[in-house]
Short mmCIF file of all heavy atoms in Angstrom, two decimals:
data_model
loop_
_atom_site.label_atom_id
_atom_site.label_comp_id
_atom_site.label_asym_id
_atom_site.label_seq_id
_atom_site.Cartn_x
_atom_site.Cartn_y
_atom_site.Cartn_z
N GLU A 384 122.79 60.79 109.89
CA GLU A 384 122.41 59.53 109.18
C GLU A 384 123.13 58.22 109.78
O GLU A 384 122.47 57.22 110.01
CB GLU A 384 122.58 59.69 107.71
CG GLU A 384 122.04 58.61 106.87
CD GLU A 384 122.08 58.92 105.44
OE1 GLU A 384 122.89 59.66 104.91
OE2 GLU A 384 121.19 58.46 104.64
N PRO A 385 124.48 58.25 109.87
CA PRO A 385 125.09 57.11 110.33
C PRO A 385 124.91 56.75 111.81
O PRO A 385 125.24 55.70 112.35
CB PRO A 385 126.60 57.29 110.15
CG PRO A 385 126.70 58.85 110.09
CD PRO A 385 125.41 59.39 109.55
N ARG A 386 124.21 57.57 112.54
CA ARG A 386 124.05 57.46 114.02
C ARG A 386 122.61 56.82 114.30
O ARG A 386 122.25 56.64 115.57
CB ARG A 386 124.11 58.79 114.68
CG ARG A 386 125.46 59.54 114.57
CD ARG A 386 126.50 58.75 115.20
NE ARG A 386 126.21 58.37 116.52
CZ ARG A 386 126.99 57.48 117.24
NH1 ARG A 386 127.95 56.88 116.67
NH2 ARG A 386 126.66 57.14 118.52
N GLN A 387 121.84 56.60 113.33
CA GLN A 387 120.46 56.04 113.64
C GLN A 387 120.42 54.86 114.45
O GLN A 387 119.55 54.76 115.42
CB GLN A 387 119.67 55.94 112.17
CG GLN A 387 119.49 57.28 111.35
CD GLN A 387 118.84 56.90 110.14
OE1 GLN A 387 117.57 56.99 110.02
NE2 GLN A 387 119.54 56.79 109.04
N ASP A 388 121.15 53.81 114.10
CA ASP A 388 121.07 52.57 114.83
C ASP A 388 121.55 52.67 116.18
O ASP A 388 120.95 52.32 117.29
CB ASP A 388 121.79 51.43 114.15
CG ASP A 388 121.03 51.04 112.91
OD1 ASP A 388 119.89 51.34 112.67
OD2 ASP A 388 121.84 50.49 111.95
N ASP A 389 122.70 53.38 116.42
CA ASP A 389 123.37 53.50 117.74
C ASP A 389 122.50 54.39 118.65
O ASP A 389 122.52 54.09 119.87
CB ASP A 389 124.65 53.95 117.58
CG ASP A 389 125.84 53.04 116.94
OD1 ASP A 389 125.39 51.87 116.86
OD2 ASP A 389 126.89 53.44 116.44
N ASP A 390 121.92 55.47 118.05
CA ASP A 390 121.35 56.36 118.96
C ASP A 390 119.79 56.14 118.84
O ASP A 390 118.98 56.98 119.47
CB ASP A 390 121.56 57.90 118.51
CG ASP A 390 122.96 58.15 118.75
OD1 ASP A 390 123.72 57.48 119.49
OD2 ASP A 390 123.49 59.21 118.28
N ASP A 391 119.35 55.12 118.22
CA ASP A 391 117.91 54.65 118.36
C ASP A 391 116.94 55.76 117.87
O ASP A 391 115.94 56.12 118.48
CB ASP A 391 117.54 54.24 119.75
CG ASP A 391 116.36 53.41 119.80
OD1 ASP A 391 115.93 52.69 118.76
OD2 ASP A 391 115.62 53.38 120.76
N PHE A 392 117.09 56.18 116.63
CA PHE A 392 116.21 57.14 115.98
C PHE A 392 116.04 56.76 114.52
O PHE A 392 116.90 56.00 113.93
CB PHE A 392 116.55 58.49 116.14
CG PHE A 392 117.77 59.05 115.53
CD1 PHE A 392 117.83 59.55 114.35
CD2 PHE A 392 118.95 58.99 116.28
CE1 PHE A 392 118.97 60.08 113.65
CE2 PHE A 392 120.16 59.45 115.82
CZ PHE A 392 120.09 59.99 114.38
N THR A 393 115.08 57.36 113.86
CA THR A 393 114.96 57.16 112.33
C THR A 393 114.85 58.54 111.69
O THR A 393 114.06 59.42 112.23
CB THR A 393 113.68 56.33 112.03
OG1 THR A 393 113.82 55.15 112.74
CG2 THR A 393 113.60 56.15 110.57
N LEU A 394 115.50 58.79 110.66
CA LEU A 394 115.51 59.94 109.85
C LEU A 394 114.53 59.99 108.69
O LEU A 394 114.37 58.81 108.16
CB LEU A 394 116.85 60.33 109.27
CG LEU A 394 117.99 60.94 110.12
CD1 LEU A 394 119.28 60.88 109.36
CD2 LEU A 394 117.53 62.38 110.46
N HIS A 395 113.77 60.91 108.48
CA HIS A 395 112.65 60.91 107.43
C HIS A 395 112.87 62.19 106.65
O HIS A 395 113.15 63.26 107.04
CB HIS A 395 111.28 60.98 108.04
CG HIS A 395 111.01 59.74 109.01
ND1 HIS A 395 110.80 58.50 108.48
CD2 HIS A 395 110.95 59.76 110.40
CE1 HIS A 395 110.62 57.69 109.51
NE2 HIS A 395 110.67 58.44 110.63
N ARG A 396 112.60 61.93 105.34
CA ARG A 396 112.66 63.07 104.26
C ARG A 396 111.13 63.19 103.80
O ARG A 396 110.54 62.23 103.45
CB ARG A 396 113.60 62.87 103.18
CG ARG A 396 114.96 62.80 103.54
CD ARG A 396 115.85 62.60 102.32
NE ARG A 396 115.69 63.60 101.35
CZ ARG A 396 116.41 63.63 100.25
NH1 ARG A 396 117.32 62.64 99.89
NH2 ARG A 396 116.22 64.61 99.33
N ARG A 397 110.64 64.57 103.73
CA ARG A 397 109.29 64.70 103.39
C ARG A 397 109.04 65.81 102.32
O ARG A 397 108.00 66.36 102.18
CB ARG A 397 108.48 65.05 104.54
CG ARG A 397 108.47 63.91 105.60
CD ARG A 397 107.81 64.22 106.95
NE ARG A 397 106.55 64.87 106.87
CZ ARG A 397 106.30 66.08 107.27
NH1 ARG A 397 107.24 66.81 108.05
NH2 ARG A 397 105.09 66.63 107.24
N GLY A 398 110.11 66.08 101.48
CA GLY A 398 109.94 67.03 100.37
C GLY A 398 109.87 68.50 100.92
O GLY A 398 110.09 68.88 102.05
N PRO A 399 109.72 69.55 100.05
CA PRO A 399 109.66 70.98 100.47
C PRO A 399 108.61 71.26 101.50
O PRO A 399 107.47 70.80 101.35
CB PRO A 399 109.71 71.66 99.14
CG PRO A 399 108.86 70.74 98.20
CD PRO A 399 109.41 69.35 98.60
N GLY A 400 108.77 72.12 102.36
CA GLY A 400 107.90 72.58 103.28
C GLY A 400 106.84 73.60 102.77
O GLY A 400 107.08 74.14 101.68
N PHE A 401 105.83 73.88 103.52
CA PHE A 401 104.89 74.89 103.29
C PHE A 401 105.40 76.37 103.64
O PHE A 401 105.05 77.25 102.91
CB PHE A 401 103.45 74.66 104.02
CG PHE A 401 102.78 73.55 103.58
CD1 PHE A 401 102.76 72.43 104.45
CD2 PHE A 401 102.09 73.37 102.40
CE1 PHE A 401 102.05 71.27 104.05
CE2 PHE A 401 101.31 72.37 102.00
CZ PHE A 401 101.27 71.26 102.94
N GLY A 402 106.25 76.39 104.64
CA GLY A 402 106.72 77.66 105.11
C GLY A 402 107.65 78.31 104.06
O GLY A 402 108.50 77.46 103.40
#
Side-chain angles (χ1 to χ4, degrees):
E384 190 171 29
R386 302 296 309 168
Q387 293 180 85
D388 291 338
D389 289 345
D390 292 348
D391 198 26
F392 66 87
T393 302
L394 281 171
H395 302 286
R396 296 181 59 178
R397 296 171 51 236
F401 292 106

